[in-house]
Amino acid sequence: PSFFGYPLSIFFIVINEFCERFSYYGMRAVLVLYFKYFLRWDDNFSTAIYHTFVALCYLTPILGALIADSWLGKFRTIVSLSIVYTIGQAVMSISSINDLTDHNRDGTPDTITPHVALSMTGLILIALGTGGIKPCVSAFGGDQFEDHQEKQRSRFFSIFYLAINAGSLLSTVITPILRAQECGIHSKQQCYPLAFGVPAALMAVSLIVFMIGSGMYKKVQPQGNIMIQVCKCIGFAIKNRFRHRSKEYPKREHWLDWASEKYSKRLIAQTKMVLKVLFLYIPLPMFWALFDQQGSRWTLQATTMDGNFVAIQIQPDQMQTVNPILIVIMVPVVDAVIYPLIKKCKINFTPLRKITVGMFLAGLAFIAAALLQLQIDKTLPVFPAAGQSQIKVINLGADSATVTFVPQLLNVSVKPQESTDYRTFEISQLKSVMIASGSNTRSQTLNLTSTDRYTLTVKNTMTGIVTDWLSDNVTSKPEEGKNLIRFINNLPQAVNVTLGNTDFGELTSLSASSYNVFSGGRTDSIVVITNSTNCTTTSKALGFGGAYTIIINECSRNVAVLNYSEDIPPNTVHMAWQIPQYFILTCAEVVFSVTGLEFSYSQAPSNMKSVLQAGWLLTVAVGNIIVLIVAGASKLSEQWAEYVLFAALLFAVCIIFAVMAYFYTYVDPSEIEAQLDEEEKKQVKKDLDFYEKEAEIVSQM
C-alpha cells in the first residue's frame, strides 16, 4: 500500500525513529546531572562515565550491522534490540527511585550500590539497543522503495533526519522539566524516575509502532556483510605480504595487491578507495572529543550559572537544546547563503577544507568556553583550606562594634545591623577575640576547627555584649542553582518561623536555625509567629546558588522587618553567555559533520557506503574515549585550563589534517567501477574467445 507515492510502511519507520531519538536524547540530557546529584559522583567521574557510555553507543553499531547483514536481517535485528533497549530504559528509571533503599526516610539512599548496579546495567542495555539499531533503521527505510522511486527515497532521508532532530529537540526541552519536578513516596526528590520513565515509555511506543507495520514491510534477506569481506581481504594481504617478504619476490604497486591470489580485482580496488578515506578519518575523533562535551562539561558549567530568563527558569541540562535549534536554522542558511557567497568570491571551498574549518571552529568554541569559565570562577567563593578557618561578623545591636583578632591584631568594625564578608585565618595563629561595642568590652578564647566557616553574632545590650558562634557547616556552593537559607531571631522573645512550606521551628531570642535548601529564583511568604502577634512578609528574590542569613529584627502591626546577610553570593553569570560557544560549535558541526558524511559517500564505492558509515561512527566513539584519556591524564585543577588544553589539541590535530588533506587526490568511484566493468567484460570476451578456439581445435582432432 502507498500514500502520496510513498510506501505506507515508511510512516511507521519515521514515527519509530522520532520516538527512539526522543528516548535516547531525553535520557542522555539529564544523565550527567543524575550521576552528580543522585549517585553523588564528582564532576570528573560523572564526565568519565558519561563519555564511556556515549563511546559504547557508537561502538555497538558495528555489532548491529554484522547481526543484521549476516544473521537476523534488518527487521528482526531492530525488533530484538529494541526490546533490549526498552528494558534498559525501564531499568534506568527504576535505578533512580530514591525510596528503593531509603529505609530511614531521610531523603537519601541508605546504600548507593543497588542504584549504581541498576544504572550500569540499564546503560549497557541502552548502548546495545541504540547502537545496534542505528545502522539498521535508516537502511531498512531505504529498502522499502522500488528502484524507480529514487526521488521519494531521497526525500524520505530528509524526513528521517527531521524526525531525528525533532525527537532530540523536544526531549532535551521536556526531560529537564520533568527532572526538576519533585516526587517520591516518603521524601520529595528531583524526579529522575519520571525523567527516565518518559523516555522508557516512548521507547516502548517506538517498538509497538514498528511492529504494527510488520505486515507492510519489504524485508530483504541477509546478504552477508561486506565489512567482513573487506577485513578478510586486508588480513589476507598482510599475511601474504609477510609470507613473501624476501627480496626474491617482486614488489607490488600497492600492499593490498598481495590479496590478488585470493580476491577479485574489483574488491581490492574498492578496498583501496575505502582505506584511503579511513586513513583521512584518523585525526577526526579529536573533533568529537570536544563536540560531545556539550552533554557533560558544558552542562556542569551551566549548573554554576544564572538560568533566569525573565519569567522562565532554564534548567542547566536544557541549554543543550541550543544546538539542535541552531542546527535547524544554520543548515539551510549555510547551504543557501554562505556557500554560494564563498563560491562567488572564487574560493575553492572543497569538502576537506570545510572539515578543516569545522575543526578550527570547534577549537574556538572551547576557547570561548574557557573565557566564560574564567568569568564564572571570579564569582565563586573561596572556602578555607586545611589548617584554615573563615569568620564573618554580624552586628545585631544598635551600636557599632569592633572585633579584634588576637594575636594578629586585625580590627574589624561593623556598623549596626550590618555584617562583614568572611575573612580567612590560620587556626594556629588565632587564639582569641576582643569585642568592643558602646562602652562594653568582651574577650573570648577560640577553639576553631580546620576547613570550617563560622558566623560571630554580636549584640550590645543593657547587661553587656552577647555573642554567639554559629558553625556554618557549608564548604561548597549550593548545587543546581538552589539556595540555602537560615534565620536569626533578633527579637527579645521566642518566635516560630516558616518560609513557604518549610517550618524552621521555634527560635529563642538571639538563636539561629540550621540552613534549609530552597529552589532558586523564588519569592516565598515568611510567617513569624510570636506570643502576641503573627507577622508576614514576602522574601526578596534571592537569585540562584546563594546562601543567606535572614535576621528577624521587628514584628509589629503584622509586618515582619527583616535584614538579609549574604553568606555565599548567588550565581551572577547568566546562562545566555553560553550561547556564543554553542553557536560557534554548531557552525563547526554544520561544516564538519554534514560535509564529512557527504565526502565519505562521494568517495566510497556503491556497495561499501556502510563500511564508511561504520568508520564514521567509530570516530565518534574514539573521540569520547579521548575525553576519558585527556581528562584523566591532565590532572588540571582549573576547568578553564582543561578547555584550553582540548582546544590546543584540536588546533594541533587540525594542522595535521590540513597537511593530509593537501596531499589527498579526489576519486570518482563510479568511474573506477565503470573501468572495472569494462575490464571484466573484456576478460569475459577473452575467455569466451579462448574457449571457442579450444572447442574448435578439439572438434578438428
Side-chain angles (χ1 to χ4, degrees), residues 353-624:
R353 284 176 184 171
K354 288 175 186 174
I355 291 169
T356 309
V357 169
M359 293 169 87
F360 180 74
L361 287 173
L364 285 185
F366 265 62
I367 295 293
L371 293 171
L372 179 61
Q373 190 64 47
L374 282 168
Q375 294 306 310
I376 293 168
D377 288 349
K378 286 177 189 173
T379 69
L380 298 177
V382 177
F383 291 99
Q388 293 179 337
S389 269
Q390 289 179 339
I391 301 169
K392 76 177 281 185
V393 181
I394 299 178
N395 185 358
L396 301 175
D399 301 309
S400 291
T402 302
V403 181
T404 306
F405 295 92
V406 182
Q408 293 183 327
L409 297 177
L410 172 69
N411 287 341
V412 178
S413 292
V414 196
K415 289 178 181 174
Q417 304 295 313
E418 289 190 7
S419 60
T420 66
D421 293 328
Y422 283 97
R423 292 172 187 265
T424 306
F425 297 94
E426 297 294 329
I427 293 174
S428 58
Q429 296 172 17
L430 189 60
K431 305 301 179 192
S432 63
V433 290
M434 286 281 297
I435 303 153
S437 183
S439 57
N440 296 317
T441 58
R442 179 171 180 178
S443 143
Q444 279 187 312
T445 305
L446 297 183
N447 185 20
L448 305 180
T449 313
S450 175
T451 70
D452 269 354
R453 283 183 149 198
Y454 295 89
T455 299
L456 168 60
T457 62
V458 176
K459 187 171 187 178
N460 188 25
T461 66
M462 300 286 287
T463 56
I465 296 171
V466 179
T467 62
D468 193 11
W469 286 89
L470 308 177
S471 183
D472 294 351
N473 295 322
V474 178
T475 52
S476 63
K477 197 169 170 59
E479 294 173 330
E480 296 183 275
K482 292 183 175 176
N483 288 324
L484 292 173
I485 297 172
R486 67 178 173 185
F487 284 90
I488 292 178
N489 176 17
N490 196 22
L491 298 175
Q493 71 270 33
V495 296
N496 196 287
V497 186
T498 56
L499 174 61
N501 297 322
T502 305
D503 185 359
F504 281 79
E506 187 180 77
L507 298 180
T508 57
S509 179
L510 301 183
S511 69
S513 70
S514 299
Y515 282 110
N516 271 321
V517 181
F518 292 87
S519 298
R522 281 172 36 179
T523 55
D524 280 303
S525 65
I526 297 172
V527 180
V528 178
I529 303 170
T530 68
N531 291 333
S532 55
T533 184
N534 287 6
C535 300
T536 60
T537 190
T538 303
S539 69
K540 70 178 187 181
L542 300 175
F544 301 84
Y548 300 88
T549 299
I550 302 176
I551 301 145
I552 305 160
N553 281 325
E554 199 180 316
C555 178
S556 63
R557 296 180 185 172
N558 298 329
V559 176
V561 179
L562 309 172
N563 259 6
Y564 292 79
S565 177
E566 195 176 83
D567 302 333
I568 294 174
N571 301 338
T572 50
V573 181
H574 203 276
M575 275 187 207
W577 284 107
Q578 276 198 322
I579 293 173
Q581 68 203 48
Y582 273 103
F583 174 75
I584 299 167
L585 195 65
T586 305
C587 292
E589 183 188 2
V590 170
V591 291
F592 179 93
S593 186
V594 177
T595 310
L597 287 168
E598 193 184 297
F599 166 77
S600 305
Y601 272 65
S602 71
Q603 299 296 292
S606 55
N607 66 332
M608 293 202 183
K609 309 283 189 197
S610 62
V611 178
L612 281 182
Q613 178 74 3
W616 182 261
L617 293 172
L618 199 62
T619 65
V620 183
V622 175
N624 281 274

Side-chain angles (χ1 to χ4, degrees), residues 117-242:
L118 284 168
S119 300
M120 294 305 102
T121 306
L123 289 176
I124 290 165
L125 294 175
I126 291 166
L128 281 170
T130 188
I133 67 174
K134 198 185 286 285
C136 304
V137 180
S138 57
F140 186 69
D143 290 347
Q144 305 310 305
F145 295 87
E146 303 297 331
D147 291 340
H148 65 274
Q149 292 181 301
E150 195 59 48
K151 192 178 173 185
Q152 286 93 330
R153 185 188 280 123
S154 174
R155 202 163 288 161
F156 158 74
F157 284 116
S158 296
I159 296 164
F160 189 81
Y161 191 69
L162 188 69
I164 291 171
N165 278 293
S168 155
L169 180 58
L170 275 175
S171 64
T172 317
V173 171
I174 292 166
T175 48
I177 294 170
L178 299 176
R179 174 192 64 77
Q181 305 305 308
E182 290 192 334
C183 62
I185 301 164
H186 303 305
S187 60
K188 298 297 176 193
Q189 300 291 320
Q190 293 251 303
C191 208
Y192 288 105
L194 190 60
F196 290 137
V198 169
L202 261 288
M203 195 55 225
V205 169
S206 166
L207 176 60
I208 293 161
V209 166
F210 186 74
M211 290 182 75
I212 288 169
S214 176
M216 302 177 204
Y217 297 138
K218 186 176 158 191
K219 297 167 189 171
V220 179
Q221 290 305 306
Q223 302 290 310
N225 197 295
I226 190 75
M227 214 183 299
I228 293 172
Q229 286 176 264
V230 169
C231 292
K232 281 182 177 175
C233 177
I234 293 167
F236 182 78
I238 293 166
K239 197 162 67 177
N240 202 26
R241 176 72 188 91
F242 188 75

Side-chain angles (χ1 to χ4, degrees), residues 674-691:
Q675 283 174 5
L676 289 165
D677 288 342
E678 197 63 39
E679 282 176 23
E680 280 172 9
K681 278 179 192 170
K682 282 179 185 173
Q683 189 62 46
V684 168
K685 191 173 182 299
K686 211 175 179 182
D687 291 345
L688 279 170
D689 289 347
F690 175 78
Y691 287 126

Side-chain angles (χ1 to χ4, degrees), residues 243-295:
R243 271 202 217 116
H244 303 91
R245 61 187 183 279
S246 68
K247 286 180 182 175
E248 64 190 82
Y249 297 104
K251 280 187 175 182
R252 299 188 185 183
E253 194 180 333
H254 191 283
W255 64 270
L256 262 174
D257 293 332
W258 287 94
S260 57
E261 280 88 339
K262 190 174 180 182
Y263 293 95
S264 69
K265 194 175 179 182
R266 175 181 287 270
L267 181 68
I268 291 168
Q270 289 173 332
T271 306
K272 282 178 187 174
M273 283 188 269
V274 165
L275 285 182
K276 203 176 168 191
V277 178
L278 288 177
F279 176 69
L280 268 185
Y281 278 2
I282 292 169
L284 302 191
M286 200 65 223
F287 172 87
W288 298 112
L290 276 71
F291 183 80
D292 278 336
Q293 288 189 54
Q294 289 176 91

Side-chain angles (χ1 to χ4, degrees), residues 36 45 58 67 72 96 104 113 257 293 326 334 352 363 370 401 430 493 503 527 544 551 560 563 643:
K36 183 175 180 181
F45 193 61
Y58 284 94
I67 293 169
L72 288 179
S96 62
N104 62 2
T113 310
D257 293 332
Q293 288 189 54
L326 286 173
V334 168
L352 291 180
L430 189 60
Q493 71 270 33
D503 185 359
V527 180
F544 301 84
I551 301 145
N563 259 6
Y643 288 146

